[in-house]
Amino acid sequence: MAMPTVSTRRKVINYLTTSDNGLTASEAKNRYGIKRLATVMHHIKNQLESNGNWEIVTETTARGNVRYFANDVHPNRTYGFDRMGKRVMVTA
């Protein structure tokens, strides 16, 4: 059985929730082909912040670009998400 394709929005969410590096518009274009990251982040912010588990924060880089981060509001959680968005146990 073939695995279903992962949406671009899901790829960005996976990257932001598992990386501490953040994401700029140029990085999003190179990695995922996203032309308007601000629009995608607007939808992601609504989705992630709706349950109070994540917050989307921004930072301005030295060159004046906006870098987006997803901060875990509950940093001691015992679960994470696989590439398809399914909740899985995290082993320490």
Side-chain angles (χ1 to χ4, degrees):
M1 176 183 219
M3 289 187 63
T5 59
V6 178
S7 72
T8 303
R9 191 181 299 175
R10 181 80 244 172
K11 289 177 186 177
V12 172
I13 291 171
N14 289 347
Y15 179 78
L16 290 174
T17 57
T18 58
S19 171
D20 293 332
N21 297 332
L23 192 64
T24 64
S26 62
E27 292 168 347
K29 185 175 181 182
N30 291 335
R31 288 177 191 254
Y32 310 112
I34 297 173
K35 294 181 182 175
R36 295 182 178 261
L37 181 62
T39 303
V40 173
M41 290 307 300
H42 171 75
H43 295 292
I44 288 174
K45 180 175 178 161
N46 289 339
Q47 182 179 351
L48 291 182
E49 291 183 351
S50 65
N51 295 322
N53 293 322
W54 298 90
E55 68 176 346
I56 301 296
V57 294
T58 60
E59 165 186 289
T60 304
T61 65
R63 293 184 176 198
N65 299 322
V66 176
R67 182 174 293 278
Y68 295 91
F69 295 91
N71 288 338
D72 191 352
V73 178
H74 306 288
N76 297 328
R77 71 176 76 237
T78 59
Y79 63 90
F81 299 92
D82 67 8
R83 67 182 296 270
M84 298 303 296
K86 182 180 176 187
R87 187 173 153 166
V88 295
M89 242 357 209
V90 173
T91 57

